[in-house]
Amino acid sequence: MNQQLKRARELGRYAVQLAREEGLSTMARRGAGFFKRRFLGKKARYLPTKNYLAAQRAEYAGKTAESCGLPKISILTPLYNTPPAYLRAFLDSFVNQTAPNGQLCLADASDPAHPEVGRIVEEYRAKNQQIVYKKIENKGIAANTNAAAALAEGEYLALADHDDVLAPHAMAEMGRAILDLRAKGQPDGFLYSDEALFEKDIRRPRAAHFKPDYAPDYFLCCNYICHLAVFRRDLFEAVGGERPECDGSQDHDLFLRLIEQNGGAAHLPQVLYYWRVHAGSTSGGTGAKPYVAAAAKKALADHLARTGRKGEVCDGLFPSTYRVKWEIEGEPLVSILIPSKDHTADLEKCLSSIYEKTQWKKFEVIVIENNSTEPETFAYYEKAPARYPGLRVVKWPGKGFNFSAINNFGRESAKGEYLLLLNNDVEILNGDWLTELLRPCAHEGGAAICGAMLYYPDDTIQHAGVVTGLGGYAGHSHKYRPRGGSGYLFRAATVQDFSAVTGACLLVKTSVYDQVGGLDEGFAVAFNDVDFCLRVREAGYRIAWTPYAQLYHYESKSRGGDEKDPVKARRFAAEQQRLYDRHGRENILDDPYYNPSLTYDREDFSESADLRRLQNGELTVRFRQ
C-alpha cells in the first residue's frame, strides 16, 4: 500500500477514535490546530504569551538578585570579534530578562582590529551592573570560558555563545526549576532546556530542538543537551572547569563530567535559548569547525575511562554523531524465540537469513508452533533441524493466538542468558545484527532490553523505537520515513533510550524477563511489548534501541489485519484499556524520551499543533538518572 495513503487512513481512524472517546469538539480543535500549524503563520510560537511575561516582570519588579528569592546564575560567555549587531542582540536579551537573578560574565579575547566589542560592552555595563567584563588573551574556547567563570559570583553557572539570544524568561524559569528540584529532594546540580534555531529574529524561528529527558545512551552519541545548560558552580570547579584539550567539543566533555558527579540531569522542556544560524556557527553543521569530531571522541573515550567501562568510540552514521561499540562481556548464549503458525515460506526466509548471516555464533533457535493446520508445515518442522543446527520446535498447548503466552511457553525451553523475541515474518539484513543488539546490554551498567531498526520491504521505517502516547497509546518512532535518513535530531541514526521497543525483535536479559514475570498474557495481541518494556523500566532498567541491527519486517502476514473483524476490534479496545488501567493514562501520554511539545498525532516528531502549555509556562522540570 502507498505509505502516504496508509498514513492518511491511520490518521482518519485516529480522528474517528478521538471523536468517540473525547468528543467532536476535541477532534475539531486538534484538526484546526493541525491546519494552523501546517498552513498559517508560526510567529513567536516558542515564546511565552505577553500576559505570562508581563506577570513575571511584575512579580520581580523592584527586586534585586539578592532579594528576588531565586538562585543567582552567572552566564559565561567568551567574546571573540563578535559582530556588533549580534553582540547587541545578545546583550539586550540579558538586560531584558524578566527576573534579576542573572549575572553576565564576559571574557573578551577579540583581536586589536575589533575594539568595538569592548566599547559596546562598556555601553551596556554603564546601565547594568550585573554585566562583568575582562579583556583576556585568546587561548581557545575552553580556556576563555574558564576565564569568564573566574568572574562569576553566582551559585550556578550557564553557558551562552556570543552570537545567540536568551529567551526573556530564561533566568526566571531556570531559577524556579532549581527550587522545584530542591523541593522534591532531587539533585539540582545540572539542568538543561529546549532551544530553537533562528536567523534574524527569534519571533520567527526556523525550528525548535525539543529534547527528551536525560537519555544516557543518546547523549553518548551526540551532544543533544547543548543549550541552555545550567550547573552548580561548585561542581564546575570540582571537575576542573572546561578542558582545552577538548576544544571544539568542550561543552559535551564538560557535561559528561558534570553528570558523572550529579548522577544524572534535569530537563526543563521550555525553549529558553535561541541559537543563531549563520556561516560560522556550529548550528549550521560541523563544517565550520572540522576539529569537533576528534574532540568529541576524546571526550567520550575519557568518560569511558573515568567510569571504568570498556568500548571503542567511533564515528556515527552522520557528522556530529558518534557511537560506543561496547565490549561484550563474556560470550552469552542468545535464545531466539520465534512463534510460528503455517506460513512456512516466511519462516524459511527468516531462518535462512539468521543462519546464513549471523556472525554471533552463540545462539539457539526455538520455533514455537502455534496451532498450524497445514500438513506441509509439520513436514517442514521435521526437516528443519537437520538443516539448521541448534533449531528446536516446541508445540504450544494453547488455542487461538496469544503472543504473550506463546513466548512465555517458549522461554521455558530456552537456555540462553538472553532471550530474543523475534517474529517469523522478518528477514535479517546485516551479519552483525545480533552482536549489535547485545552491545548496549551485555556490559556493566548496560540496558536490559534492546530493539532493532525494522524496515518495510519498500525501505521505509517500520520501527525505530516506541513512543508511548502516540495515537493515544503507543506508536513507532519515525514510521514511514525513508531508509537512510538521520531522523529528528539524529534520533533515527543513533543508539537511543526509549520507553519501549517492538516485540517483533526484542532482546532482553533472561534474568530480567523472569524478574518481571515475562509477558502479561492478558495482552494477547496488542501492547504486550509496550506493557513489558514499561514494567522493566519501572523495575529500574533501561530500554535501548540501535540502528545498527537492521531487519526487514513483513508486518503481520501471519495474523492479518484486525480492523474489519469486530471480535478482534473489541479485543484490541480491551487491550488499550488494560494498558491505561495498568500504567495510567497520564503516564502513557507522558513519555520521558519524547517531548510534550512534539505531536502525539503522528510518528514523525513534528511539533505539536497545540503549544499552549509551552507558551503558558506550564511545563516543569524533571530529573532522571
Side-chain angles (χ1 to χ4, degrees):
M1 180 187 295
N2 179 276
Q3 298 301 336
Q4 290 183 337
L5 177 60
K6 188 171 183 179
R7 174 180 285 180
R9 289 183 178 180
E10 289 186 353
L11 284 172
R13 287 195 296 271
Y14 175 55
V16 171
Q17 175 186 326
L18 191 64
R20 287 175 179 168
E21 295 180 355
E22 301 188 33
L24 285 172
S25 61
T26 299
M27 191 270 285
R29 178 173 56 80
R30 292 266 187 101
F34 175 84
F35 180 85
K36 179 180 179 182
R37 185 181 60 78
R38 287 292 174 126
F39 301 110
L40 302 180
K42 300 181 179 180
K43 186 175 180 180
R45 63 192 185 277
Y46 308 137
L47 288 170
T49 65
K50 292 180 180 179
N51 289 340
Y52 184 83
L53 288 177
Q56 202 168 78
R57 292 188 190 284
E59 180 181 356
Y60 296 111
K63 296 181 179 178
T64 65
E66 290 70 32
S67 64
C68 68
L70 298 174
K72 188 170 186 177
I73 302 172
S74 296
I75 303 165
L76 314 182
T77 303
L79 304 177
Y80 181 74
N81 299 348
T82 314
Y86 294 174
L87 180 57
R88 288 185 181 277
F90 173 63
L91 293 172
D92 284 339
S93 74
F94 173 76
V95 300
N96 290 320
Q97 288 291 302
T98 58
N101 61 315
Q103 180 193 31
L104 184 58
C105 303
L106 304 173
D108 182 10
S110 299
D111 61 34
H114 294 81
E116 70 278 3
V117 173
R119 288 199 297 265
I120 292 172
V121 173
E122 291 298 339
E123 173 190 331
Y124 278 79
R125 286 185 68 201
K127 302 174 185 177
N128 191 308
Q129 296 304 305
Q130 292 305 312
I131 299 175
V132 292
Y133 171 85
K134 183 176 181 180
K135 192 75 176 70
I136 63 169
E137 179 185 352
N138 184 18
K139 295 183 178 180
I141 184 66
N144 295 355
T145 301
N146 291 337
L151 306 174
E153 299 174 353
E155 183 183 0
Y156 288 81
L157 306 178
L159 304 178
D161 292 340
H162 62 163
D163 48 1
D164 294 338
V165 170
L166 299 168
H169 59 323
M171 294 296 97
E173 296 300 333
M174 277 299 190
R176 290 176 171 184
I178 291 167
L179 297 181
D180 286 349
L181 291 170
R182 291 177 179 176
K184 297 174 186 176
Q186 296 178 338
D188 62 347
F190 186 87
L191 307 82
Y192 65 94
S193 76
D194 294 342
E195 63 194 78
L197 305 182
F198 80 107
E199 293 178 357
K200 296 180 180 179
D201 187 344
I202 67 170
R203 292 172 298 177
R204 297 189 182 277
R206 174 189 286 188
H209 288 173
F210 289 127
K211 307 165 189 176
D213 289 351
Y214 177 55
D217 292 290
Y218 182 30
F219 192 54
L220 292 181
C221 296
C222 62
N223 179 15
Y224 78 88
I225 288 177
C226 215
H227 304 295
L228 178 69
V230 173
F231 39 90
R232 286 210 322 263
R233 186 173 68 173
D234 60 350
L235 284 185
F236 178 84
E237 293 171 349
V239 301
E242 295 211 325
R243 297 196 300 163
E245 58 265 41
C246 288
D247 267 356
S249 195
Q250 71 284 341
D251 294 347
H252 198 176
D253 172 67
L254 173 65
F255 298 164
L256 287 166
R257 290 181 287 125
L258 291 171
I259 288 170
E260 290 166 18
Q261 297 296 315
N262 195 53
H267 173 218
L268 179 58
Q270 297 187 37
V271 177
L272 301 183
Y273 192 95
Y274 286 82
W275 200 1
R276 189 186 298 272
V277 179
H278 60 89
S281 168
T282 53
S283 60
T286 56
K289 297 181 178 179
Y291 54 90
V292 168
K297 285 188 280 188
K298 174 176 175 52
L300 292 166
D302 290 352
H303 167 71
L304 297 187
R306 288 191 302 271
T307 55
R309 293 180 291 172
K310 297 180 180 179
E312 178 187 2
V313 178
C314 308
D315 289 322
L317 297 173
F318 288 86
S320 299
T321 69
Y322 312 94
R323 64 176 301 205
V324 176
K325 295 180 71 173
W326 296 105
E327 183 177 309
I328 297 172
E329 295 180 358
E331 296 183 355
L333 175 68
V334 180
S335 297
I336 303 175
L337 308 182
I338 307 177
S340 190
K341 177 182 178 180
D342 295 318
H343 292 275
T344 54
D346 292 334
L347 180 59
E348 172 61 19
K349 181 181 289 186
C350 175
L351 292 175
S352 63
S353 68
I354 291 172
Y355 280 87
E356 290 172 9
K357 296 180 180 179
T358 305
Q359 296 170 1
W360 185 265
K361 298 305 180 184
K362 291 205 66 175
F363 69 87
E364 62 174 359
V365 177
I366 301 170
V367 174
I368 311 164
E369 155 56 26
N370 164 37
N371 295 296
S372 294
T373 59
E374 299 172 1
E376 53 267 34
T377 299
F378 297 95
Y380 179 87
Y381 289 157
E382 289 184 9
K383 297 177 181 178
R387 298 170 51 227
Y388 297 123
L391 172 67
R392 287 177 285 154
V393 179
V394 297
K395 185 177 181 180
W396 179 56
K399 300 297 181 184
F401 181 83
N402 187 314
F403 181 84
S404 298
I406 292 167
N407 278 286
N408 287 343
F409 175 76
R411 185 270 170 268
E412 296 175 10
S413 300
K415 303 174 183 177
E417 297 168 58
Y418 287 84
L419 305 175
L420 178 69
L421 311 188
L422 192 69
N423 278 20
N424 67 340
D425 55 353
V426 301
E427 179 182 0
I428 309 307
L429 293 180
N430 57 307
D432 57 351
W433 72 287
L434 191 51
T435 306
E436 293 300 339
L437 284 170
L438 282 166
R439 285 194 193 282
C441 300
H443 65 90
E444 184 69 27
I449 290 175
C450 188
M453 171 71 88
L454 303 182
Y455 296 112
Y456 288 110
D458 66 353
D459 283 324
T460 58
I461 293 174
Q462 191 265 343
H463 169 266
V466 170
V467 176
T468 66
L470 290 182
Y473 299 95
H476 288 187
S477 161
H478 294 93
K479 193 174 183 181
Y480 307 138
R481 293 286 288 269
R483 180 176 178 176
S486 63
Y488 183 75
L489 302 182
F490 302 116
R491 295 198 62 181
T494 50
V495 177
Q496 289 285 305
D497 303 89
F498 275 100
S499 288
V501 294
T502 180
C505 180
L506 183 156
L507 182 81
V508 57
K509 292 181 180 178
T510 305
S511 59
V512 174
Y513 189 92
D514 294 341
Q515 178 185 338
V516 301
L519 299 179
D520 181 347
E521 297 180 12
F523 292 99
V525 178
F527 305 119
N528 36 60
D529 44 11
V530 176
D531 166 72
F532 175 68
C533 288
L534 290 178
R535 287 188 287 119
V536 168
R537 200 186 82 189
E538 289 162 4
Y541 299 100
R542 293 200 323 279
I543 315 298
W545 170 85
T546 178
Y548 299 102
Q550 302 179 7
L551 302 85
Y552 279 134
H553 185 198
Y554 303 93
E555 187 180 23
S556 298
K557 283 186 177 180
S558 298
R559 291 193 297 109
D562 291 352
E563 300 140 10
K564 298 180 181 180
D565 185 322
V567 175
K568 292 180 178 179
R570 285 194 297 271
R571 180 192 63 211
F572 184 73
E575 291 176 345
Q576 287 179 318
Q577 187 58 48
R578 184 179 179 85
L579 191 69
Y580 276 176
D581 291 344
R582 165 164 283 177
H583 299 285
R585 184 174 186 272
E586 290 187 1
N587 289 332
I588 293 296
L589 295 174
D590 182 24
D591 189 327
Y593 299 114
Y594 200 51
N595 187 292
S597 294
L598 293 173
T599 184
Y600 280 91
D601 295 340
R602 294 170 307 284
E603 307 95 336
D604 59 3
F605 283 75
S606 54
E607 69 186 51
S608 173
D610 185 356
L611 294 176
R612 286 178 296 178
R613 294 180 66 202
L614 174 68
Q615 294 162 346
N616 294 333
E618 297 172 3
L619 301 173
T620 57
V621 70
R622 181 158 54 187
F623 174 83
R624 293 192 72 82
Q625 293 182 326

